[in-house]
Amino acid sequence: MIPEGWDFTPCVNDKLIVVCSQGHFLAGDSMAKLDALQSATWLMALVGTLARQHFEEMVTRLQWPQVRRFHIISREMIIIMSIMKQAKLLALLPRSIITPWLENSFFAELNTCIHIPLDDIGFLNKRKDYSDSTNLLTNYMLDMFSCSVSC
């Protein structure tokens, strides 16, 4: 919910994607099949996160009651990367978070039939009475993320 007198400016479309280490046997597939995804071991996102909620919904919807899960309690990407590489895990993660590691080839995004959009990432700002610093920050965010503003 957007507070009265404020506007939301979307900057990044986000979605959950299936990722694995570059050395994972599914990394080179042109399209990962559901049976291969079901038989893989999945790194669980933390309880309470959108990634975890959507994973549980996906498992229920696809009727994967026996899917293998690997649980860790960490938000540290270096730990997650290391475990995923060593244990050959898959993970369902927000693209916005994993993009730097995809661009540096630490992870591979799997092409799958799983499509889970998330709400846009953006920023809130007041409709009027911008200060100079607010204008500078707003313009920087608009330029940095190629945001579009509808006036």
Side-chain angles (χ1 to χ4, degrees), residues 81-110:
M81 287 173 15
S82 178
I83 290 172
M84 284 187 66
K85 183 176 182 181
Q86 295 299 320
K88 304 290 186 205
L89 304 173
L90 299 183
L92 186 67
L93 297 171
R95 187 168 224 305
S96 60
I97 291 173
I98 204 73
T99 294
W101 289 275
L102 291 169
E103 290 172 352
N104 289 304
S105 299
F106 290 113
F107 289 118
E109 178 179 355
L110 296 183

Side-chain angles (χ1 to χ4, degrees), residues 30-64:
S30 60
M31 176 64 116
K33 295 190 166 112
L34 281 178
D35 58 338
L37 298 175
Q38 180 182 7
S39 64
T41 303
W42 290 78
L43 178 69
M44 293 290 90
L46 295 175
V47 173
T49 61
L50 281 174
R52 180 66 172 268
Q53 175 187 337
H54 284 288
F55 179 83
E56 299 300 344
E57 291 170 1
M58 176 187 76
V59 167
T60 301
R61 187 177 61 253
L62 295 172
Q63 300 178 350
W64 291 354

